[in-house]
Amino acid sequence: MAFVSIFKNRTGIEKEIDSFLDLASESGLIFDQGVDSFLNNNLERFTDHLNHIVETEKEADNLRRSIEDLLYRKTLIPESRGDVLELIERMDALLGRFKGMMFRFEIERPNIEPRFHDGLRELVNCVIHAVEAATLSLRAYFKDISQATDHIHKVAFWETEADKTSSKLQKEIFAAEDLGLDVKMQIRDLVRSTDKIADQAEDMADSLAIYVIKRSL
Amino acid sequence: MFLFFLSSGLFLGWSLGANDAANVFGTAVGTRMLRFRTAAALCCVFVILGSVISGAGASGTLGKLGAVNAVAGAFVVAFAAALSVYLMIRARYPASTSQAIVGAIVGWNLFSGTPTDPAALIKIVSTWVICPIMSGVIAVISYKILSFAIKRSKINMFKLDEATRIGLILVGAFGSFSLGANNIANVVGVFLPVSPFKEIILPGGFHVSPAQQLFFLGSLAISVGVITYSKRIMGTVGKGIFKLSPVMALVAVWAQSVVLFLFASQRLEQLLLNAGLPTLPLVPVSSSQAIVGAVVGMGLLKGGHNIHWKTVGGIAAGWVTTPAVACLISFVCLFFLQNVFQQTVFLP
């Protein structure tokens, strides 16, 4: 009976971690669609995406709590438990960042000139790729550790791309003579905050790289 | 009166349980893969089974080293060994009961003027060197094979965790069986020549030999040692020498169990003999040496950077001091028992 119960716990937590990572991946896509709707001035669609990301984040929070509870209550993976919890929490923080950015768009309603749209879309694309690679690396950490390093490299690549795009975009913003400093600073802050998501994804990937070495046989 | 004299053997059994159960389940408990209660229960059951079923093999060699022919002498020999192991445990070093009993028997030989059989002594002492090396080699090979299989199978972290726990339980049970089979000779082996037990025939025609009755009593004492005192030693083995991963812990116990089994199994010896292959001596070997050999072997495989050589040195020093201390205690106690308490400690 004890073995059956252990087996059930393992299957349960595997499914929960999978679902959690699905939500992390999904939240990036919702963010992408949300920003796109905002830039296209489709505020109704934007609000739908905002509601969707709020729901996703809430669901992810519940899963995170359940994973933490299972890990500690059933003393699963005692050697890597602390590392796994940290990674899950960092991933949850990324989800929170996406939601936070969507709320900033909703609250501030910034007037972003169409000339900056492509740059912003490109930045969002880099950020989403970075988070997606981080999600894949975390998935590999659980399922096939030898693949984790490949995805970690991709996180670093997309973070660098995000930095380049962000710098270029900020230069363009401040080069625009027809905009007031207040507008420039507001858009600059949005750009920086978006870029910050890629930075956080990279921080998580750096920690993961250490944990991969720790777990390597 | 025999049971009174046997008490020192039971004390030695208790020391062995406290000390050597840590070698079998210490890595699993130290890495928090198994609860102490589960480990202790499994260990008790399988030590008793190993002692009663397969305990006879290794006791023969010990008998050749010195056949203690008076019950009071056997009492002192077992007491000296137990006391030296207890002192080592107090110093928080996994000591070797095998070395303690050998030291104590040599002490009896010196006191009684019985010549120590050099062939038997060399046979036993050589296993002190062979055992950790063999365990280290088995651990390295097993670890290589297991890690290759794990990498190839791309097993999920949680499934690996589950498989490791089940493996630790199975290998721990095997290790406990081997420990009982190999080390029961240390506990009550010296009492075999002076045992008053008679053969019992159980319903169903099962014969329980006098030796098996003695082994059963000894294994009960080991179980008491496991339950009452092994918890604190388990921490040293699991973490003290080298920080083990759960998979490494599994391999360490496996290597130790195989070594103990190889040095205890009469059936294996017979199989090798039938096949015309060289056999291993059936000698009580030290489970402490085996586990330390396995852990150091894997530590070296990992580059040797994280091995706490100071702890290893402390344990190795114990291997030298344990038999020496046991020999000295045995000699002094025999003198007192003979001259102060007027007991016959050897028959001329």
Side-chain angles (χ1 to χ4, degrees):
Chain A
M1 280 305 284
F3 285 153
V4 174
S5 136
I6 288 171
F7 184 71
K8 272 187 190 163
N9 288 331
R10 301 298 193 287
T11 317
I13 201 162
E14 278 172 52
K15 275 188 185 164
E16 288 197 353
I17 287 176
D18 260 344
S19 306
F20 177 81
L21 292 175
D22 287 345
L23 291 177
S25 188
E26 202 179 303
S27 66
L29 299 175
I30 301 168
F31 176 66
D32 184 31
Q33 287 179 321
V35 172
D36 199 49
S37 302
F38 185 86
L39 295 178
N40 291 333
N41 212 20
N42 188 347
L43 292 181
E44 202 180 324
R45 285 279 291 159
F46 175 78
T47 311
D48 287 346
H49 291 309
L50 179 65
N51 291 335
H52 191 181
I53 209 164
V54 169
E55 278 306 307
T56 307
E57 207 262 345
K58 200 173 151 189
E59 210 179 318
D61 268 345
N62 289 337
L63 277 171
R64 176 181 57 79
R65 282 190 207 103
S66 172
I67 292 164
E68 287 175 355
D69 180 60
L70 268 175
L71 279 176
Y72 271 93
R73 209 157 33 83
K74 306 288 176 188
T75 55
L76 305 177
I77 50 165
E79 277 289 298
S80 315
R81 190 167 49 190
D83 303 344
V84 167
L85 283 183
E86 191 201 315
L87 292 168
I88 295 282
E89 271 168 15
R90 281 183 175 219
M91 190 49 94
D92 193 43
L94 283 176
L95 261 93
R97 277 257 166 196
F98 279 134
K99 188 184 81 173
M101 281 304 298
M102 292 280 277
F103 268 112
R104 276 190 76 171
F105 279 104
E106 166 72 5
I107 295 162
E108 294 179 19
R109 299 281 170 104
N111 183 18
I112 303 169
E113 290 283 313
R115 62 190 134 153
F116 302 131
H117 285 191
D118 283 349
L120 192 59
R121 283 197 176 97
E122 196 185 329
L123 176 64
V124 168
N125 186 47
C126 292
V127 167
I128 285 160
H129 271 99
V131 173
E132 184 60 24
T135 312
L136 287 171
S137 64
L138 192 50
R139 225 185 266 277
Y141 176 69
F142 292 111
K143 290 185 171 175
D144 178 10
I145 201 158
S146 60
Q147 296 291 312
T149 320
D150 294 345
H151 297 298
I152 289 168
H153 278 301
K154 283 176 193 153
V155 179
F157 171 81
W158 286 112
E159 193 275 335
T160 312
E161 287 300 303
D163 278 349
K164 283 182 201 163
T165 314
S166 160
S167 303
K168 190 176 155 220
L169 193 55
Q170 287 181 65
K171 275 183 195 166
E172 284 173 15
I173 291 163
F174 281 94
E177 289 175 358
D178 55 329
L179 295 177
L181 186 62
D182 53 342
V183 176
K184 287 178 183 175
M185 287 176 77
Q186 186 190 26
I187 305 172
R188 190 265 322 263
D189 280 353
L190 276 172
V191 168
R192 274 188 180 173
S193 298
T194 308
D195 185 30
K196 188 92 180 139
I197 300 176
D199 291 343
Q200 282 196 336
E202 195 190 32
D203 288 346
M204 195 210 84
D206 287 344
S207 299
L208 182 59
I210 304 288
Y211 303 148
V212 167
I213 295 167
K214 264 174 81 177
R215 259 200 71 210
S216 63
L217 295 157
Chain B
M1 198 60 183
F2 175 75
L3 283 177
F4 169 76
F5 282 119
L6 186 64
S7 63
S8 66
L10 300 181
F11 177 36
L12 180 60
W14 175 85
S15 301
L16 188 129
N19 182 55
D20 291 34
N23 299 330
V24 178
F25 277 110
T27 47
V29 174
T31 54
R32 287 174 293 164
M33 291 298 278
L34 277 186
R35 281 193 209 129
F36 172 73
R37 244 191 272 176
T38 316
L42 277 168
C43 190
C44 293
V45 171
F46 283 93
V47 159
I48 293 172
L49 288 174
S51 305
V52 177
I53 297 169
S54 277
S59 46
T61 314
L62 213 55
K64 279 180 203 157
L65 183 69
V68 183
N69 54 13
V71 70
F75 168 81
V76 169
V77 167
F79 175 76
L83 189 63
S84 12
V85 172
Y86 177 73
L87 291 174
M88 294 299 288
I89 294 173
R90 292 288 294 183
R92 300 196 81 136
Y93 283 116
S96 162
T97 320
S98 311
Q99 284 163 340
I101 198 80
V102 167
I105 291 175
V106 171
W108 181 85
N109 284 350
L110 290 174
F111 187 81
S112 64
T114 313
T116 305
D117 179 0
L121 188 63
I122 288 167
K123 199 190 232 185
I124 292 171
V125 172
S126 65
T127 63
W128 297 357
V129 182
I130 296 167
C131 166
I133 294 172
M134 203 164 147
S135 179
V137 171
I138 292 172
V140 168
I141 294 168
S142 307
Y143 182 71
K144 278 276 186 194
I145 293 169
L146 191 62
S147 55
F148 177 75
I150 290 169
K151 274 178 194 158
R152 280 295 295 268
S153 64
K154 293 178 180 172
I155 188 169
N156 186 295
M157 180 196 260
F158 294 96
K159 287 215 168 65
L160 178 63
D161 180 63
E162 180 195 2
T164 311
R165 274 174 214 249
I166 294 171
L168 280 167
I169 290 172
L170 295 177
V171 173
F174 172 49
S176 303
F177 184 91
S178 303
L179 179 71
N182 187 287
N183 275 204
I184 193 68
N186 294 335
V187 177
V188 288
V190 286
F191 293 95
L192 275 177
V194 290
S195 165
F197 293 129
K198 301 273 179 287
E199 181 158 308
I200 300 172
I201 301 170
L202 293 174
F206 290 108
H207 290 251
V208 185
S209 68
Q212 281 176 317
Q213 294 166 47
L214 204 54
F215 292 162
F216 178 70
L217 282 177
S219 59
L220 281 183
I222 296 175
S223 303
V224 174
V226 171
I227 294 162
T228 55
Y229 215 75
S230 65
K231 199 172 182 179
R232 49 187 301 213
I233 305 284
M234 290 192 180
T236 313
V237 178
K239 293 171 190 161
I241 301 165
F242 177 76
K243 199 167 184 320
L244 294 169
S245 69
V247 173
M248 283 179 154
L250 174 69
V251 172
V253 183
W254 163 252
Q256 178 223 20
S257 309
V258 169
V259 169
L260 255 69
F261 184 75
L262 291 176
F263 282 102
S265 175
Q266 285 171 307
R267 281 191 194 154
L268 184 76
E269 186 187 43
Q270 200 56 48
L271 273 174
L272 290 172
L273 275 174
N274 292 346
L277 294 167
T279 59
L280 284 166
L282 299 184
V283 176
V285 289
S286 162
S287 62
S288 312
Q289 290 174 347
I291 201 86
V292 169
V295 173
V296 170
M298 283 187 288
L300 288 173
L301 184 69
K302 288 279 175 188
H305 310 297
N306 296 326
I307 298 175
H308 301 162
W309 288 110
K310 209 176 159 189
T311 313
V312 178
I315 293 167
W319 295 348
V320 181
T321 49
T322 312
V325 168
C327 180
L328 186 69
I329 294 174
S330 174
F331 193 91
V332 173
C333 289
L334 285 166
F335 178 81
F336 270 95
L337 206 64
Q338 181 179 264
N339 298 308
V340 179
F341 295 100
Q342 304 294 315
Q343 294 289 324
T344 309
V345 291
F346 66 91
L347 300 173

